[in-house]
Amino acid sequence: DDLISKTLNNLLFSESLAVNHLHEQYKFSPWSINLFHYSLHSIKKTLQSNGKIVVSGIGKSYKLAKKMVATLSSFSINSAALHPVEALHGDLGVIKEGDALIVISSSGNSIEISQLLNHVDNEVKIILLTCQRNSKLERNEKVNSLIYAELPFSCKEENVYGINAPTISTTLLMILADCFSVCLFKSLTNDDDERKILFGNKHPGGAIGEAYN
């Protein structure tokens, strides 16, 4: 019981430390802030030109991609999730000319994502959501921008509990994906009432639907 309590408290402390560090990063790092704004502007232009957002990732990152698409869809933002392996077996048709692609990779070294990018048209805007500032994907000539979540060394999973299972890193990536989605929604639709209508119309059921409808 003491071991479990110690592990729990250590994990909660590390998670909160990493989230606080992310907050400080986007408060004081002009490089991170500017890239976030540039990425947002690129995606906004895509949507205003009748393109859609395609989000991809492998492993836990694909689950984050599906969560991001679910959030965007609830905001009436045209989006789709794409598994990089399935893409090489026909699903590549999900990405159309004029779309934008957000790829999620904590390490920035996902082989499956690199293979996917080899077959994506050069006209597609590609944004990398990652915890690694310097990586193979970041150096890929097709990647146009970066949304970066800095993971402190002391908060890396292997340093916290001995194995590098994606937990703290996925927390940071999900937070940034949520922030990006909400900021995009507000950027596209300035009026609070209009946003409530768009959101409410996509939630006819459950407690959310009852609150909005």
Side-chain angles (χ1 to χ4, degrees):
D1 288 346
D2 287 343
L3 177 62
I4 297 300
S5 295
K6 184 178 179 180
T7 301
L8 172 61
N9 289 326
N10 190 33
L11 281 169
L12 289 173
F13 174 75
S14 298
E15 290 267 9
S16 62
L17 191 66
V19 172
N20 184 66
H21 184 85
L22 185 67
H23 177 230
E24 295 293 306
Q25 176 191 342
Y26 277 88
K27 190 175 181 181
F28 297 112
S29 170
W31 181 82
S32 300
I33 296 167
N34 289 339
L35 280 174
F36 187 94
H37 281 272
Y38 179 80
S39 301
L40 192 72
H41 179 70
S42 296
I43 294 292
K44 184 178 178 180
K45 282 184 63 178
T46 294
L47 293 169
Q48 290 174 333
S49 300
N50 295 319
K52 70 176 179 295
I53 304 171
V54 178
V55 192
S56 187
I58 192 75
K60 303 298 186 294
S61 293
Y62 180 63
K63 292 174 172 57
L64 291 178
K66 292 198 291 184
K67 162 62 171 69
M68 187 175 189
V69 167
T71 301
L72 291 168
S73 297
S74 74
F75 294 156
S76 298
I77 295 174
N78 191 11
S79 57
L82 176 64
H83 194 284
V85 175
E86 295 295 335
L88 301 182
H89 294 270
D91 284 3
L92 193 62
V94 169
I95 307 176
K96 306 294 185 183
E97 183 178 345
D99 289 343
L101 174 64
I102 297 176
V103 291
I104 304 175
S105 172
S106 177
S107 69
N109 295 317
S110 303
I111 296 173
E112 296 85 353
I113 296 296
S114 293
Q115 292 172 337
L116 169 63
L117 296 190
N118 288 335
H119 303 280
V120 175
D121 191 276
N122 290 328
E123 298 303 315
V124 173
K125 294 292 183 184
I126 300 174
I127 294 167
L128 172 64
L129 174 55
T130 184
C131 288
Q132 184 60 253
R133 183 165 178 168
N134 298 302
S135 65
K136 291 179 181 178
L137 289 177
E138 186 273 332
R139 292 188 293 272
N140 190 299
E141 61 182 10
K142 288 189 175 182
V143 173
N144 305 106
S145 188
L146 193 70
I147 306 173
Y148 175 53
E150 186 174 55
L151 180 61
F153 181 80
S154 63
C155 296
K156 291 185 177 180
E157 291 91 350
E158 192 167 5
N159 296 327
V160 174
Y161 54 87
I163 56 174
N164 59 352
T167 50
I168 301 173
S169 55
T170 52
T171 296
L172 296 186
L173 293 175
M174 186 174 72
I175 288 173
L176 264 189
D178 283 343
C179 289
F180 189 85
S181 300
V182 173
C183 288
L184 179 63
F185 190 30
K186 296 196 76 169
S187 176
L188 290 166
T189 312
N190 292 323
D191 185 79
D192 286 344
D193 290 333
E194 186 178 350
R195 282 198 302 273
K196 288 177 181 178
I197 291 170
L198 287 170
F199 182 70
N201 285 343
K202 297 299 182 289
H203 290 86
I208 292 178
E210 185 178 346
Y212 279 89
N213 298 306

Coordinates of all heavy atoms in Angstrom, one line a residue, residues 18-112:
A18 N 4.7 18.8 -15.3 CA 4.8 18.8 -16.8 C 3.8 19.8 -17.4 O 4.1 20.6 -18.3 CB 4.7 17.4 -17.4
V19 N 2.6 19.8 -16.8 CA 1.5 20.7 -17.3 C 1.9 22.1 -17.0 O 1.7 23.0 -17.8 CB 0.2 20.3 -16.7 CG1 -0.9 21.3 -17.1 CG2 -0.3 18.9 -17.3
N20 N 2.4 22.3 -15.8 CA 2.8 23.7 -15.4 C 3.9 24.2 -16.3 O 4.0 25.4 -16.7 CB 3.2 23.7 -13.9 CG 3.6 25.1 -13.4 OD1 2.7 26.0 -13.4 ND2 4.8 25.4 -13.1
H21 N 4.9 23.3 -16.6 CA 6.0 23.7 -17.5 C 5.4 24.1 -18.9 O 5.9 25.0 -19.5 CB 6.9 22.5 -17.6 CG 8.2 22.8 -18.4 ND1 9.3 23.4 -17.9 CD2 8.4 22.6 -19.7 CE1 10.2 23.6 -18.8 NE2 9.7 23.1 -20.0
L22 N 4.4 23.3 -19.4 CA 3.8 23.7 -20.7 C 3.2 25.0 -20.6 O 3.3 25.8 -21.6 CB 2.8 22.6 -21.0 CG 2.1 22.7 -22.4 CD1 3.1 22.4 -23.5 CD2 0.9 21.7 -22.5
H23 N 2.5 25.3 -19.5 CA 1.9 26.7 -19.4 C 3.0 27.8 -19.4 O 2.8 28.8 -20.1 CB 1.1 26.7 -18.0 CG 0.6 28.1 -17.7 ND1 0.7 28.7 -16.5 CD2 -0.2 28.9 -18.5 CE1 0.1 29.9 -16.6 NE2 -0.4 30.0 -17.8
E24 N 4.1 27.5 -18.7 CA 5.2 28.5 -18.7 C 5.8 28.6 -20.1 O 6.2 29.7 -20.5 CB 6.2 28.1 -17.7 CG 5.8 28.1 -16.3 CD 5.5 29.5 -15.8 OE1 6.4 30.3 -15.9 OE2 4.4 29.7 -15.3
Q25 N 5.9 27.5 -20.8 CA 6.4 27.5 -22.2 C 5.6 28.5 -23.1 O 6.2 29.3 -23.8 CB 6.5 26.1 -22.7 CG 6.9 26.0 -24.2 CD 6.7 24.7 -24.8 OE1 6.5 23.7 -24.1 NE2 6.7 24.6 -26.1
Y26 N 4.3 28.3 -23.0 CA 3.5 29.1 -23.9 C 3.2 30.5 -23.4 O 2.4 31.3 -24.0 CB 2.2 28.3 -24.3 CG 2.5 27.4 -25.4 CD1 3.0 26.1 -25.1 CD2 2.4 27.8 -26.7 CE1 3.3 25.2 -26.2 CE2 2.7 26.9 -27.8 CZ 3.1 25.7 -27.5 OH 3.5 24.8 -28.5
K27 N 3.8 30.8 -22.2 CA 3.7 32.1 -21.7 C 4.9 33.0 -22.0 O 4.9 34.2 -22.2 CB 3.5 32.1 -20.2 CG 3.1 33.4 -19.5 CD 2.8 33.1 -18.0 CE 2.4 34.4 -17.3 NZ 2.2 34.2 -15.9
F28 N 6.1 32.2 -22.1 CA 7.4 33.0 -22.1 C 8.2 32.6 -23.4 O 9.3 33.2 -23.6 CB 8.2 32.7 -20.9 CG 7.6 33.2 -19.6 CD1 7.1 32.4 -18.6 CD2 7.4 34.6 -19.4 CE1 6.5 32.8 -17.5 CE2 6.8 35.1 -18.3 CZ 6.4 34.2 -17.3
S29 N 7.8 31.6 -24.2 CA 8.7 31.2 -25.3 C 8.1 31.8 -26.6 O 7.1 31.2 -27.2 CB 8.8 29.7 -25.4 OG 9.3 29.3 -26.6
P30 N 8.6 32.9 -27.1 CA 8.1 33.5 -28.4 C 8.2 32.5 -29.5 O 7.3 32.4 -30.4 CB 9.1 34.6 -28.6 CG 9.6 35.0 -27.3 CD 9.7 33.7 -26.5
W31 N 9.2 31.6 -29.5 CA 9.4 30.6 -30.6 C 8.2 29.7 -30.6 O 7.6 29.4 -31.7 CB 10.7 29.8 -30.4 CG 11.0 28.8 -31.4 CD1 11.5 28.9 -32.6 CD2 10.7 27.4 -31.3 NE1 11.6 27.7 -33.3 CE2 11.1 26.7 -32.5 CE3 10.1 26.6 -30.2 CZ2 11.0 25.4 -32.7 CZ3 10.0 25.2 -30.4 CH2 10.5 24.6 -31.6
S32 N 7.8 29.1 -29.4 CA 6.7 28.2 -29.4 C 5.4 28.9 -29.7 O 4.5 28.4 -30.5 CB 6.6 27.7 -27.9 OG 7.7 27.0 -27.6
I33 N 5.2 30.1 -29.2 CA 4.0 30.9 -29.4 C 3.8 31.2 -30.9 O 2.7 31.1 -31.5 CB 4.0 32.2 -28.6 CG1 4.0 31.8 -27.1 CG2 2.8 33.1 -28.9 CD1 4.3 33.0 -26.2
N34 N 4.9 31.7 -31.5 CA 4.8 32.1 -33.0 C 4.5 30.9 -33.8 O 3.7 31.0 -34.8 CB 6.2 32.7 -33.4 CG 6.4 34.1 -32.8 OD1 5.4 34.7 -32.4 ND2 7.6 34.5 -32.7
L35 N 5.1 29.7 -33.5 CA 4.8 28.5 -34.3 C 3.3 28.1 -34.1 O 2.7 27.6 -35.1 CB 5.7 27.4 -33.9 CG 7.1 27.4 -34.5 CD1 8.0 26.3 -34.0 CD2 7.1 27.3 -36.1
F36 N 2.8 28.2 -32.9 CA 1.4 27.9 -32.7 C 0.5 28.8 -33.5 O -0.4 28.3 -34.2 CB 1.1 28.1 -31.2 CG -0.2 27.6 -30.8 CD1 -0.4 26.3 -30.3 CD2 -1.3 28.4 -30.9 CE1 -1.7 25.9 -29.9 CE2 -2.6 28.0 -30.5 CZ -2.8 26.7 -30.0
H37 N 0.8 30.1 -33.5 CA 0.0 31.0 -34.3 C 0.1 30.7 -35.8 O -0.9 30.8 -36.5 CB 0.4 32.5 -34.0 CG -0.1 33.0 -32.7 ND1 -1.3 33.6 -32.6 CD2 0.4 33.0 -31.4 CE1 -1.6 34.0 -31.4 NE2 -0.5 33.6 -30.7
Y38 N 1.3 30.5 -36.3 CA 1.5 30.2 -37.7 C 0.8 28.9 -38.1 O 0.1 28.9 -39.1 CB 3.0 30.0 -38.0 CG 3.3 29.6 -39.4 CD1 3.4 30.6 -40.4 CD2 3.5 28.3 -39.8 CE1 3.6 30.3 -41.7 CE2 3.8 28.0 -41.1 CZ 3.9 29.0 -42.1 OH 4.1 28.7 -43.4
S39 N 0.8 27.9 -37.2 CA 0.1 26.6 -37.5 C -1.4 26.9 -37.6 O -2.1 26.4 -38.4 CB 0.4 25.6 -36.4 OG 1.8 25.3 -36.4
L40 N -1.9 27.7 -36.6 CA -3.3 28.0 -36.6 C -3.8 28.8 -37.8 O -4.8 28.5 -38.4 CB -3.6 28.9 -35.3 CG -5.1 29.1 -34.9 CD1 -5.7 27.8 -34.4 CD2 -5.2 30.1 -33.9
H41 N -2.9 29.7 -38.2 CA -3.3 30.5 -39.4 C -3.3 29.6 -40.7 O -4.2 29.8 -41.5 CB -2.2 31.6 -39.6 CG -2.4 32.5 -40.8 ND1 -3.5 33.3 -40.9 CD2 -1.7 32.6 -42.0 CE1 -3.4 34.0 -42.1 NE2 -2.4 33.5 -42.8
S42 N -2.3 28.6 -40.8 CA -2.3 27.7 -41.9 C -3.6 26.9 -42.0 O -4.2 26.7 -43.1 CB -1.1 26.8 -41.8 OG 0.1 27.6 -41.9
I43 N -4.0 26.3 -40.8 CA -5.2 25.5 -40.8 C -6.4 26.3 -41.1 O -7.3 25.9 -41.8 CB -5.3 24.8 -39.4 CG1 -4.1 23.8 -39.2 CG2 -6.6 24.1 -39.3 CD1 -4.2 22.6 -40.1
K44 N -6.5 27.5 -40.6 CA -7.6 28.4 -40.8 C -7.8 28.7 -42.3 O -8.9 28.6 -42.9 CB -7.5 29.7 -40.0 CG -8.6 30.6 -40.2 CD -8.4 31.9 -39.3 CE -9.6 32.9 -39.5 NZ -9.4 34.1 -38.6
K45 N -6.7 29.0 -43.0 CA -6.7 29.2 -44.4 C -7.2 28.0 -45.2 O -7.9 28.1 -46.2 CB -5.3 29.6 -44.9 CG -4.9 31.0 -44.6 CD -3.5 31.4 -45.2 CE -3.5 31.3 -46.7 NZ -2.2 31.7 -47.3
T46 N -6.7 26.8 -44.7 CA -7.2 25.6 -45.4 C -8.7 25.4 -45.3 O -9.4 25.1 -46.3 CB -6.5 24.4 -44.7 OG1 -5.1 24.4 -44.9 CG2 -7.1 23.1 -45.2
L47 N -9.2 25.6 -44.1 CA -10.7 25.5 -43.9 C -11.5 26.6 -44.7 O -12.5 26.3 -45.2 CB -11.0 25.6 -42.4 CG -10.5 24.5 -41.5 CD1 -10.6 24.8 -40.1 CD2 -11.2 23.2 -41.9
Q48 N -11.0 27.8 -44.7 CA -11.6 28.9 -45.4 C -11.6 28.6 -47.0 O -12.4 29.3 -47.7 CB -11.0 30.2 -45.1 CG -11.3 30.6 -43.6 CD -10.6 31.9 -43.2 OE1 -9.5 32.2 -43.7 NE2 -11.2 32.6 -42.3
S49 N -10.7 27.7 -47.4 CA -10.6 27.4 -48.8 C -11.3 26.1 -49.1 O -11.1 25.4 -50.1 CB -9.2 27.3 -49.3 OG -8.5 28.5 -49.1
N50 N -12.2 25.7 -48.2 CA -13.0 24.5 -48.3 C -12.2 23.2 -48.2 O -12.7 22.1 -48.6 CB -13.8 24.5 -49.6 CG -14.8 25.6 -49.6 OD1 -15.5 25.9 -48.6 ND2 -14.9 26.3 -50.8
G51 N -11.0 23.2 -47.6 CA -10.3 22.0 -47.3 C -10.7 21.5 -45.9 O -11.5 22.1 -45.2
K52 N -10.2 20.4 -45.5 CA -10.4 19.8 -44.2 C -9.1 19.5 -43.5 O -8.1 19.6 -44.1 CB -11.3 18.5 -44.3 CG -10.6 17.3 -44.9 CD -11.5 16.1 -44.9 CE -10.8 14.9 -45.5 NZ -10.5 15.1 -47.0
I53 N -9.3 19.2 -42.2 CA -8.1 18.8 -41.4 C -8.1 17.3 -41.3 O -9.1 16.7 -40.9 CB -8.2 19.4 -40.0 CG1 -8.4 20.9 -40.0 CG2 -7.0 19.0 -39.1 CD1 -8.7 21.5 -38.7
V54 N -7.0 16.7 -41.6 CA -6.8 15.3 -41.4 C -5.7 15.1 -40.3 O -4.7 15.8 -40.3 CB -6.2 14.6 -42.7 CG1 -6.0 13.1 -42.5 CG2 -7.2 14.8 -43.9
V55 N -6.0 14.3 -39.3 CA -5.1 14.1 -38.2 C -4.6 12.6 -38.2 O -5.5 11.7 -38.3 CB -5.8 14.4 -36.9 CG1 -4.8 14.5 -35.8 CG2 -6.6 15.8 -37.0
S56 N -3.3 12.4 -38.0 CA -2.8 11.1 -38.0 C -1.8 10.9 -36.9 O -1.2 11.8 -36.4 CB -2.1 10.8 -39.4 OG -1.7 9.5 -39.5
G57 N -1.6 9.6 -36.6 CA -0.6 9.2 -35.6 C -0.6 7.7 -35.5 O -1.5 7.1 -36.0
I58 N 0.4 7.2 -34.8 CA 0.5 5.7 -34.7 C 0.5 5.4 -33.2 O 1.0 6.1 -32.3 CB 1.8 5.2 -35.4 CG1 1.8 3.7 -35.5 CG2 3.1 5.7 -34.6 CD1 0.9 3.2 -36.5
G59 N 0.0 4.2 -32.8 CA -0.1 3.8 -31.4 C -1.0 4.7 -30.6 O -2.1 5.1 -31.0
K60 N -0.5 5.1 -29.5 CA -1.3 6.1 -28.6 C -1.6 7.4 -29.3 O -2.6 8.0 -29.1 CB -0.5 6.3 -27.3 CG -0.2 5.1 -26.5 CD -1.4 4.3 -26.0 CE -1.0 3.2 -25.1 NZ -0.3 2.1 -25.8
S61 N -0.7 7.8 -30.2 CA -0.8 9.0 -30.9 C -2.0 9.0 -31.8 O -2.7 10.0 -32.1 CB 0.4 9.4 -31.7 OG 1.5 9.7 -30.8
Y62 N -2.4 7.8 -32.4 CA -3.5 7.7 -33.2 C -4.8 7.8 -32.4 O -5.8 8.4 -32.8 CB -3.6 6.3 -33.9 CG -4.8 6.2 -34.8 CD1 -5.0 7.0 -35.9 CD2 -5.7 5.2 -34.6 CE1 -6.1 6.9 -36.7 CE2 -6.8 5.0 -35.4 CZ -7.0 5.9 -36.5 OH -8.1 5.8 -37.3
K63 N -4.8 7.4 -31.1 CA -5.9 7.6 -30.3 C -6.1 9.1 -29.9 O -7.2 9.6 -29.8 CB -5.7 6.7 -29.0 CG -5.8 5.2 -29.2 CD -5.5 4.4 -28.0 CE -5.8 2.9 -28.2 NZ -5.1 2.4 -29.4
L64 N -5.0 9.8 -29.8 CA -5.0 11.2 -29.6 C -5.6 11.9 -30.9 O -6.3 12.9 -30.8 CB -3.6 11.8 -29.3 CG -3.0 11.4 -28.0 CD1 -1.6 12.0 -27.8 CD2 -3.9 11.9 -26.8
A65 N -5.2 11.4 -32.0 CA -5.7 11.9 -33.3 C -7.2 11.8 -33.4 O -7.9 12.7 -33.8 CB -5.0 11.2 -34.5
K66 N -7.7 10.6 -33.0 CA -9.2 10.4 -33.0 C -9.9 11.3 -32.0 O -11.0 11.8 -32.3 CB -9.5 8.9 -32.7 CG -9.1 8.0 -33.8 CD -9.8 6.7 -33.8 CE -9.3 5.9 -32.6 NZ -9.9 4.5 -32.6
K67 N -9.3 11.5 -30.8 CA -9.8 12.5 -29.8 C -9.9 13.9 -30.4 O -10.8 14.6 -30.2 CB -9.0 12.4 -28.6 CG -9.2 13.6 -27.6 CD -10.6 13.7 -27.0 CE -10.7 14.8 -25.9 NZ -10.5 16.2 -26.4
M68 N -8.8 14.3 -31.1 CA -8.7 15.6 -31.6 C -9.8 15.8 -32.7 O -10.5 16.9 -32.7 CB -7.4 15.9 -32.2 CG -7.2 17.4 -32.7 SD -5.5 17.7 -33.2 CE -5.5 19.5 -33.4
V69 N -10.0 14.8 -33.5 CA -11.0 14.9 -34.6 C -12.4 14.9 -34.0 O -13.3 15.7 -34.4 CB -10.9 13.7 -35.5 CG1 -12.1 13.5 -36.4 CG2 -9.6 13.8 -36.4
A70 N -12.6 14.2 -32.9 CA -13.9 14.2 -32.2 C -14.2 15.6 -31.7 O -15.3 16.1 -31.8 CB -13.9 13.2 -31.1
T71 N -13.2 16.3 -31.1 CA -13.4 17.6 -30.6 C -13.6 18.6 -31.7 O -14.6 19.4 -31.6 CB -12.1 18.1 -29.8 OG1 -11.9 17.2 -28.7 CG2 -12.3 19.5 -29.3
L72 N -12.9 18.5 -32.8 CA -13.1 19.4 -34.0 C -14.4 19.2 -34.6 O -15.1 20.2 -34.9 CB -12.0 19.2 -35.0 CG -10.6 19.6 -34.6 CD1 -9.6 19.0 -35.6 CD2 -10.4 21.1 -34.6
S73 N -14.9 18.0 -34.7 CA -16.2 17.7 -35.3 C -17.3 18.3 -34.4 O -18.3 18.7 -34.9 CB -16.4 16.2 -35.4 OG -15.4 15.6 -36.3
S74 N -17.1 18.2 -33.1 CA -18.1 18.8 -32.2 C -18.2 20.3 -32.3 O -19.2 20.9 -31.9 CB -17.8 18.4 -30.7 OG -16.7 19.2 -30.2
F75 N -17.2 20.9 -32.9 CA -17.2 22.4 -33.2 C -17.6 22.6 -34.6 O -17.5 23.8 -35.1 CB -15.8 22.9 -33.0 CG -15.3 22.9 -31.6 CD1 -13.9 22.9 -31.3 CD2 -16.2 22.8 -30.5 CE1 -13.5 22.9 -30.0 CE2 -15.7 22.8 -29.2 CZ -14.3 22.8 -28.9
S76 N -18.1 21.6 -35.3 CA -18.5 21.8 -36.7 C -17.4 22.1 -37.7 O -17.5 22.7 -38.7 CB -19.6 22.8 -36.9 OG -20.8 22.5 -36.2
I77 N -16.2 21.6 -37.3 CA -15.0 21.8 -38.1 C -14.7 20.5 -38.9 O -14.6 19.4 -38.3 CB -13.8 22.2 -37.3 CG1 -14.0 23.6 -36.6 CG2 -12.5 22.2 -38.1 CD1 -12.9 24.0 -35.6
N78 N -14.6 20.6 -40.2 CA -14.5 19.5 -41.1 C -13.1 18.8 -40.8 O -12.1 19.4 -41.0 CB -14.6 19.9 -42.5 CG -14.7 18.7 -43.5 OD1 -14.9 17.6 -43.1 ND2 -14.6 19.0 -44.8
S79 N -13.2 17.5 -40.3 CA -11.9 16.9 -40.0 C -12.1 15.3 -40.1 O -13.2 14.8 -40.2 CB -11.5 17.2 -38.6 OG -12.5 16.9 -37.7
A80 N -11.0 14.6 -40.2 CA -11.0 13.2 -40.3 C -9.7 12.6 -39.7 O -8.6 13.2 -39.8 CB -11.1 12.8 -41.8
A81 N -9.8 11.4 -39.1 CA -8.6 10.7 -38.6 C -8.1 9.7 -39.7 O -8.9 9.1 -40.4 CB -9.0 9.9 -37.3
L82 N -6.8 9.6 -39.8 CA -6.2 8.7 -40.8 C -5.1 7.9 -40.1 O -4.1 8.5 -39.6 CB -5.6 9.5 -41.9 CG -4.9 8.8 -43.0 CD1 -5.8 7.8 -43.7 CD2 -4.2 9.7 -44.0
H83 N -5.3 6.6 -40.1 CA -4.2 5.7 -39.6 C -3.1 5.6 -40.7 O -3.4 5.3 -41.8 CB -4.8 4.3 -39.3 CG -3.9 3.5 -38.4 ND1 -2.8 2.9 -39.0 CD2 -3.9 3.2 -37.1 CE1 -2.1 2.2 -38.0 NE2 -2.8 2.4 -36.9
P84 N -1.9 5.8 -40.3 CA -0.8 5.9 -41.3 C -0.6 4.5 -42.0 O -0.2 4.5 -43.2 CB 0.4 6.3 -40.5 CG 0.1 5.9 -39.1 CD -1.3 6.1 -39.0
V85 N -0.8 3.4 -41.4 CA -0.6 2.1 -42.0 C -1.8 1.9 -43.0 O -1.6 1.4 -44.1 CB -0.5 1.0 -41.0 CG1 -0.5 -0.4 -41.7 CG2 0.7 1.2 -40.1
E86 N -3.0 2.1 -42.5 CA -4.2 1.9 -43.4 C -4.1 2.9 -44.6 O -4.6 2.6 -45.7 CB -5.5 2.2 -42.7 CG -5.7 1.2 -41.5 CD -6.0 -0.2 -42.1 OE1 -6.4 -0.4 -43.2 OE2 -5.7 -1.2 -41.3
A87 N -3.4 4.0 -44.4 CA -3.3 5.0 -45.5 C -2.5 4.4 -46.7 O -2.8 4.7 -47.9 CB -2.6 6.3 -45.0
L88 N -1.5 3.6 -46.4 CA -0.7 2.9 -47.4 C -1.4 1.8 -48.1 O -0.9 1.2 -49.0 CB 0.6 2.4 -46.8 CG 1.5 3.5 -46.1 CD1 2.8 2.9 -45.6 CD2 1.8 4.7 -47.1
H89 N -2.6 1.5 -47.6 CA -3.4 0.4 -48.2 C -4.8 0.9 -48.7 O -5.8 0.1 -48.6 CB -3.6 -0.8 -47.2 CG -2.3 -1.4 -46.8 ND1 -1.8 -2.5 -47.5 CD2 -1.4 -1.2 -45.9 CE1 -0.6 -2.9 -47.0 NE2 -0.4 -2.1 -46.0
G90 N -4.8 2.1 -49.1 CA -6.0 2.6 -49.7 C -6.6 3.9 -49.1 O -7.3 4.7 -49.8
D91 N -6.4 4.0 -47.8 CA -7.1 5.1 -47.1 C -6.4 6.5 -47.3 O -6.8 7.5 -46.9 CB -7.1 4.9 -45.6 CG -8.1 3.9 -45.1 OD1 -8.8 3.4 -46.1 OD2 -8.3 3.6 -43.9
L92 N -5.3 6.4 -48.1 CA -4.6 7.7 -48.5 C -5.6 8.6 -49.2 O -5.4 9.8 -49.2 CB -3.4 7.4 -49.4 CG -2.4 8.5 -49.6 CD1 -1.8 9.0 -48.3 CD2 -1.3 8.0 -50.6
G93 N -6.6 8.0 -49.8 CA -7.6 8.9 -50.5 C -8.4 9.8 -49.6 O -9.1 10.7 -50.1
V94 N -8.2 9.6 -48.3 CA -8.9 10.5 -47.3 C -8.3 12.0 -47.5 O -9.0 12.9 -47.3 CB -8.7 10.0 -45.9 CG1 -9.1 11.1 -44.8 CG2 -9.5 8.8 -45.6
I95 N -7.0 12.0 -47.8 CA -6.4 13.3 -48.0 C -6.6 13.8 -49.4 O -6.1 13.2 -50.3 CB -4.9 13.3 -47.7 CG1 -4.6 12.6 -46.3 CG2 -4.2 14.6 -47.7 CD1 -3.1 12.4 -46.0
K96 N -7.3 14.9 -49.5 CA -7.6 15.5 -50.8 C -6.7 16.7 -51.0 O -6.2 17.3 -50.1 CB -9.1 15.9 -50.9 CG -10.0 14.8 -50.6 CD -10.0 13.7 -51.6 CE -11.1 12.7 -51.3 NZ -11.1 11.5 -52.2
E97 N -6.6 17.2 -52.3 CA -5.9 18.4 -52.6 C -6.6 19.6 -51.9 O -7.8 19.7 -51.9 CB -5.9 18.6 -54.1 CG -5.2 19.9 -54.5 CD -5.2 20.0 -56.0 OE1 -5.5 19.1 -56.7 OE2 -4.8 21.1 -56.5
G98 N -5.8 20.4 -51.2 CA -6.3 21.5 -50.5 C -6.6 21.2 -49.0 O -7.0 22.1 -48.2
D99 N -6.3 20.0 -48.5 CA -6.5 19.6 -47.1 C -5.2 20.0 -46.4 O -4.2 20.3 -47.0 CB -6.7 18.1 -47.0 CG -8.1 17.7 -47.4 OD1 -9.0 18.6 -47.6 OD2 -8.4 16.5 -47.6
A100 N -5.3 19.9 -45.0 CA -4.1 20.1 -44.2 C -4.0 18.8 -43.3 O -5.0 18.2 -43.0 CB -4.2 21.3 -43.3
L101 N -2.7 18.4 -43.0 CA -2.5 17.2 -42.2 C -1.8 17.6 -41.0 O -0.7 18.2 -41.0 CB -1.6 16.2 -43.1 CG -1.2 15.0 -42.4 CD1 -2.3 14.1 -42.0 CD2 -0.2 14.2 -43.3
I102 N -2.3 17.2 -39.8 CA -1.7 17.3 -38.5 C -1.2 15.9 -38.1 O -2.0 15.0 -38.1 CB -2.6 17.8 -37.5 CG1 -3.1 19.3 -37.8 CG2 -1.9 17.8 -36.1 CD1 -4.1 19.9 -36.8
V103 N 0.1 15.7 -38.0 CA 0.6 14.4 -37.5 C 1.1 14.5 -36.1 O 1.7 15.5 -35.7 CB 1.8 14.0 -38.4 CG1 1.2 13.6 -39.8 CG2 2.9 15.0 -38.6
I104 N 0.7 13.6 -35.3 CA 1.0 13.5 -33.9 C 2.1 12.5 -33.6 O 1.9 11.3 -34.0 CB -0.2 13.3 -33.0 CG1 -1.3 14.3 -33.3 CG2 0.1 13.3 -31.5 CD1 -2.6 14.1 -32.6
S105 N 3.2 12.9 -33.0 CA 4.3 11.9 -32.7 C 5.1 12.5 -31.6 O 5.7 13.5 -31.7 CB 5.2 11.7 -33.9 OG 6.3 10.9 -33.6
S106 N 5.0 11.8 -30.4 CA 5.7 12.3 -29.2 C 7.2 12.4 -29.5 O 7.9 13.4 -29.2 CB 5.5 11.4 -28.0 OG 6.2 11.8 -26.9
S107 N 7.8 11.3 -30.1 CA 9.2 11.3 -30.3 C 9.6 12.0 -31.6 O 10.8 12.5 -31.7 CB 9.7 9.8 -30.5 OG 9.1 9.3 -31.7
G108 N 8.7 12.2 -32.5 CA 9.0 12.8 -33.8 C 9.8 11.9 -34.7 O 10.3 12.3 -35.7
N109 N 9.9 10.6 -34.4 CA 10.7 9.7 -35.2 C 9.9 8.5 -35.6 O 10.4 7.4 -36.0 CB 11.9 9.2 -34.3 CG 12.8 10.3 -34.0 OD1 13.2 11.1 -34.8 ND2 13.3 10.3 -32.7
S110 N 8.5 8.6 -35.7 CA 7.7 7.5 -36.1 C 7.9 7.1 -37.5 O 7.7 7.9 -38.4 CB 6.2 7.9 -35.9 OG 6.0 8.3 -34.6
I111 N 8.4 5.9 -37.7 CA 8.6 5.4 -39.1 C 7.4 5.4 -39.9 O 7.4 5.7 -41.1 CB 9.2 4.0 -39.0 CG1 10.6 4.0 -38.3 CG2 9.4 3.4 -40.4 CD1 11.2 2.6 -38.0
E112 N 6.3 5.0 -39.3 CA 5.0 4.9 -40.1 C 4.6 6.3 -40.6 O 4.0 6.4 -41.7 CB 3.9 4.3 -39.2 CG 4.2 2.8 -38.8 CD 5.0 2.7 -37.5 OE1 5.5 3.8 -37.0 OE2 5.1 1.6 -37.0

